[in-house]
Amino acid sequence: MTTVRTLTELEGEPHANVFPSDEPKTIRLTLADGEEVPSHTHPGRDIVLYLLEGTIELHLGEETHELTADDIARFEGEREISPRALEDSTALIVLAPRSDE
C-alpha cells in the first residue's frame, strides 16, 4: 500500500508525525528562530535529518554542526541530539530501527 502526504497538511508543532504508528518513524520538525529541542537520545535507531528550509545548529554530543537548507545529517540515535534554529526552519527527520545484522 502506498501512502502520500504533504508536509504542509500535517498538524503539530514543533513535531508532526508524517505516518503515525508506521516505521520508520518520520517527523516534520518546525522550529522558529531561536527555538530549540532539549538534548535527548533515540537508542536503537539510525537517524537522518534533512533540512528543508532555514538554518539550524545541530548539537550532537560534543559536536556542533551548522546546517542550511538541503543539508542532510546522518547519525546514531544513541548520541545526544539538540537542534536549535538560527532562523525559522523546517526539517524532515527519519528515525529507522537499527538492524541487528
Side-chain angles (χ1 to χ4, degrees), residues 5 10 17-23 26:
R5 311 248 349 238
L10 300 177
N17 196 335
V18 180
F19 306 109
S21 72
D22 286 336
E23 290 288 347
T26 307

Side-chain angles (χ1 to χ4, degrees), residues 62-82:
E62 299 297 317
E63 299 175 8
T64 300
H65 303 274
E66 186 172 306
L67 304 180
T68 58
D70 290 330
D71 284 346
I72 300 173
R74 182 176 155 224
F75 51 93
E76 294 177 343
E78 283 75 17
R79 298 184 71 186
E80 291 278 334
I81 176 177
S82 178

Side-chain angles (χ1 to χ4, degrees), residues 13 29-35 51-56 67-69 84-91:
E13 297 286 333
L29 176 66
T30 305
L31 298 173
D33 183 12
E35 189 175 9
L51 192 61
L52 298 162
E53 59 186 14
T55 304
I56 66 169
L67 304 180
T68 58
R84 183 174 71 87
L86 300 178
E87 61 183 341
D88 292 352
S89 301
T90 302

Side-chain angles (χ1 to χ4, degrees), residues 21-46:
S21 72
D22 286 336
E23 290 288 347
K25 188 173 181 181
T26 307
I27 303 293
R28 180 199 65 200
L29 176 66
T30 305
L31 298 173
D33 183 12
E35 189 175 9
E36 65 184 295
V37 176
S39 185
H40 63 286
T41 61
H42 296 279
R45 296 200 178 254
D46 286 321

Side-chain angles (χ1 to χ4, degrees), residues 47-58:
I47 301 172
V48 174
L49 184 151
Y50 173 57
L51 192 61
L52 298 162
E53 59 186 14
T55 304
I56 66 169
E57 273 185 353
L58 180 62

